[in-house]
Structure formats: C-alpha cells, structure tokens
C-alpha cells in the first residue's frame, strides 16, 4: 500500500484578491484564427472557493510592493508602456496587437496597436483598460507570498491572475504580461540560490528567457513537447542555459497524452536536479492545464493525480511558493487544486505513528 493514512493538512497561506476580475478579454488570436479567451476571471475564484471550503487554506490579502521588483526582471520601459496603453483604452476595448515582434526596430508608430506589437511575441495577450492593474496586482500577490515565506511558512499558494510564465523581459504573450514566478524567484535569490519548477502544460518560454544566463536561479520545466504544443519555439531538451547559466536550465518535454506514471518519472528527474542544486527556496509555476479534460491541452492527468505531483514536490526539504499559471477546465480546477494542497501535506515527512481514528 502506497500510503497508510492521509495527513491532516495544516491550512497553508493562500494569497489572493479580486482586483483581477475586470481584466476579462473575450477574444484572442492564435495562428490567424480568432478564439474565445479561456483565461477567465472565474479561474482563481473556483480554486479559492474549493480550497476554503475544504479547510485547506487561510486567506492572506496581498500588500502593495513598489515597482522595483518588477523592474528588476522586466524592462522598465515595457512596464511603463503596458501601464500607459491600458489607461488609453476604452473600458470595453480589447486590444490585440496586429503584429508580433521578433527583431525590433524603433517604437515610434502613431498607432497604439502597432506600439503594442513592439512589446508582443504573440497575439494572445490582449490589453484592456484593467490589464495593467490586474497584472501588477498579480505581482503583489507573488511578492506577498515571498514575504509570508520569509516569516517561516513552508508552503504558500499565490493565486496569481493573469499568469506570468510566458512573459519575457520586454514582451507579453500567452495570456501573460509580468512574470510573477520569476519576479518571486528573483526576490528570493537575494537570500541564496532559488529553484523554479514549472509544471504548467506549456513551456515557460518567458521564465527560461529570464533565467537562461543565471547560475543562481535554476529553471526546470515539465511540459508538452514544443513540436506539438504552444509556444513551439522553446522548450527543447537541449536548451541547457548559456554563459554563467550553462547547465542551470533543464527542459523535460513530454509526449502527447502522457499519463501520471510517466509524468512522475519525469518529475522525479526534475526533483533530483533541484535536490542536487540545493536551493534555499523553491518557486513552483503551477498550471492545471496538464489535466486530461483541459480544453486547450492534451496531457492525461486526472484531478487526483495533482495530489501525487504535490507529494513529490513536498518531499523537497525547502520552503515552497506555489504560483498559479494556467488551467482552463473550469469544472476541474477546484478539485485539482484541493488534491494538490492535500498532497503537499501527504508528501511531508511520514508520520511516526498513525493518526487517531475518527
Ligand atoms: Zn499553460
């Protein structure tokens, strides 16, 4: 038998707010096609409600942090552009950049959309009037999580929305504007080496981009093979870092429809690399889009499997900040998150004696 008894979990801190709700773009463009936008305001609410109802968390309100944490990771001009562009938009508008930039020239176009294109690698991160405030609040949620860790919490859940792991130094895309997880990892790195484990379905191109030349922040990602999954242009196994960061980037691409046993084999490799790195803190980019019912993904985890994933992560003897990334099967988000947080409790050091019978 794998487990004798479930541990009664301590309620872990859950940092959240409702500021993101007005950021609600309705459409996105992928490969020239227009789709409904799946990254909706209900996502964190469904997770929060399930975790509160199960008694697994205690709520913590985010506190305001100045822009230094964002500007240490992103181009300050990019942050200023996102802030300024959002204030220019009509409250009902959803601005999809008409182009995408790879080799950028000058930022002088009179049209706001074209200027947005300068700062976009895709057309799937629309700007709305409420986007900057939501994205900036998500950073505050992550950094408040860091503060709570520093006060001694072993596990903290930062319920960030919009997500962040696709956001690069000066480019938005993939529903992401500011890279919440890297901003948190960067803040934590002031106290020693930090590891970033990305278990979202998609490769965190932004997180890799931002940490690729760093030896003090290890990036490890399990994700769908980029040959068939977004973003497609990053996430291969031979991307191992550059310069001082050589050897501190580990990609573990997975074939379509990977189920839990093969997933755990890869996760064991990831956790082994993190243990070898011996970090002082771990940030987990936590996506639930590896769920078999996710509408934009094709991996094969069940809701309960997230508990087994969390057990492996919780066996790492290091404080952990779990930062929400993707996950779009709305009817499965709550139960998946509850299984995950329960798994954090189950994965800690085994009980010396069984708990009393109910
Ligand atoms: Zn994702």
């Amino acid at each position: 038998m794998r487990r004798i008894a479930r541990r009664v979990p301590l309620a872990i801190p859950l940092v959240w707010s409702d500021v993101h709700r007005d950021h609600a773009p309705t459409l996105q463009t992928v490969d020239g096609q227009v789709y409904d936008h799946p990254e909706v305001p209900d996502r964190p609410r469904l997770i929060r409600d399930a975790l509160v109802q199960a008694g697994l968390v205690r709520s913590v309100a985010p506190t305001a942090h100045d822009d230094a944490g964002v500007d240490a990771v992103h181009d300050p001009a990019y942050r200023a552009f996102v802030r300024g562009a959002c204030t220019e938009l009509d409250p009902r508008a959803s601005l999809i950049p008409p182009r995408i930039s790879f080799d950028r020239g000058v930022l002088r176009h009179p049209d706001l959309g074209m200027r947005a294109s300068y700062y976009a690698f895709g057309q799937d991160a629309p700007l709305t009037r409420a986007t900057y405030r939501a994205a900036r609040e998500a950073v505050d949620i992550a950094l408040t999580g860091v503060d709570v860790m520093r006060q001694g919490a072993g596990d903290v859940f930062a319920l960030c929305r919009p997500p962040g792991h696709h956001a690069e130094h000066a480019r938005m895309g993939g529903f992401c504007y500011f890279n919440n997880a890297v901003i948190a990892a960067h803040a934590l790195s002031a106290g020693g080496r930090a590891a970033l484990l990305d278990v979202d379905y998609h490769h965190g191109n932004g997180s890799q981009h931002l940490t690729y030349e760093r030896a003090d922040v290890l990036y490890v990602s399990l994700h769908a093979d980029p040959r068939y999954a977004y973003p497609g242009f990053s996430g291969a196994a031979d991307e191992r870092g550059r310069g001082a960061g050589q050897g501190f980037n580990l990609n573990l691409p997975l074939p379509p429809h990977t189920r839990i046993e093969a997933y755990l084999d890869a996760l064991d490799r990831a956790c082994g690399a993190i243990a070898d790195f011996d970090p002082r803190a771990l940030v987990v980019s936590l996506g639930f889009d590896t769920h078999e019912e996710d509408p934009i993904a094709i991996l094969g985890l069940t809701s309960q499997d997230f508990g087994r994933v969390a057990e492996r992560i919780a066996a790492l003897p290091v404080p952990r900040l779990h930062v929400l990334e993707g996950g779009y099967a709305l009817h499965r988000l709550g139960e998946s998150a509850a299984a995950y947080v329960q798994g954090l409790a189950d994965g800690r050091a085994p009980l010396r004696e069984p708990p009393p019978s109910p």
Side-chain angles (χ1 to χ4, degrees), residues 165-166 200-202 289 326 328:
H165 75 148
H166 295 302
D200 188 274
Y201 169 85
H202 303 94
D289 40 7
Y328 309 98

Side-chain angles (χ1 to χ4, degrees), residues 71-334:
D71 292 351
V73 165
H74 292 284
D75 182 351
Y78 164 66
R79 182 182 54 74
F81 170 79
V82 176
R83 183 186 60 200
C86 292
T87 60
E88 281 186 47
L89 289 170
D90 181 276
R92 290 159 298 173
S94 187
L95 176 66
I96 296 175
R99 306 270 193 278
I100 55 173
S101 71
F102 285 98
D103 188 13
R104 292 183 294 179
V106 292
L107 180 60
R108 295 204 189 102
H109 202 281
D111 179 70
L112 180 64
M114 288 304 294
R115 296 203 302 281
S117 298
Y118 183 90
Y119 287 118
F121 69 80
Q123 296 177 298
D124 41 17
L127 293 174
T128 72
R129 181 79 165 246
T131 298
Y132 179 77
R133 189 158 176 250
R136 194 58 189 75
E137 178 84 352
V139 171
D140 280 342
I141 288 172
L143 289 176
T144 302
V146 170
D147 295 340
V148 176
M149 281 177 90
R150 286 175 173 152
Q151 292 159 15
D155 283 293
V156 182
F157 197 150
L159 203 50
C160 297
R161 178 182 178 270
H165 75 148
H166 295 302
E168 299 181 349
H169 179 62
R171 295 198 301 180
M172 54 196 165
F175 316 153
C176 299
Y177 307 88
F178 301 135
N179 198 313
N180 309 308
V182 172
I183 291 168
H186 177 75
L188 288 163
S189 72
R193 287 143 68 107
L196 173 50
L197 171 63
D198 192 330
V199 295
D200 188 274
Y201 169 85
H202 303 94
H203 181 245
N205 59 290
S207 300
Q208 172 170 301
H209 164 83
L210 288 163
T211 62
Y212 209 56
E213 300 187 18
R214 294 185 68 160
D216 62 333
V217 178
L218 173 72
Y219 179 67
V220 181
S221 178
L222 277 73
H223 52 269
D225 190 317
R227 286 176 293 185
Y228 67 85
Y230 184 96
F233 57 76
S234 71
D238 60 358
E239 296 162 12
R240 295 304 314 271
R242 184 188 304 124
Q246 179 66 41
F248 296 97
N249 193 91
L250 177 60
N251 286 325
L252 299 168
L254 302 165
H257 311 295
T258 295
R259 303 190 75 84
I260 187 65
E261 295 303 338
Y263 190 91
L264 291 177
D265 287 345
L267 183 60
D268 285 342
R269 278 191 64 194
C271 290
I274 292 166
D276 290 345
F277 183 68
D278 192 23
R280 297 285 304 276
L282 172 65
V283 177
V284 181
S285 267
L286 177 58
F288 294 105
D289 40 7
T290 48
H291 197 289
E292 62 185 355
E293 295 181 38
D294 194 278
I296 67 168
I298 51 169
L299 284 192
L301 302 197
T302 67
S303 302
Q304 290 309 311
D305 287 341
F306 287 97
R308 300 182 66 187
V309 170
E311 286 180 39
R312 297 296 219 279
I313 294 170
L316 290 164
V318 61
R320 297 168 290 263
L321 176 67
H322 311 271
V323 174
L324 181 64
E325 301 286 358
Y328 309 98
L330 298 182
H331 62 302
R332 299 297 182 207
L333 280 180

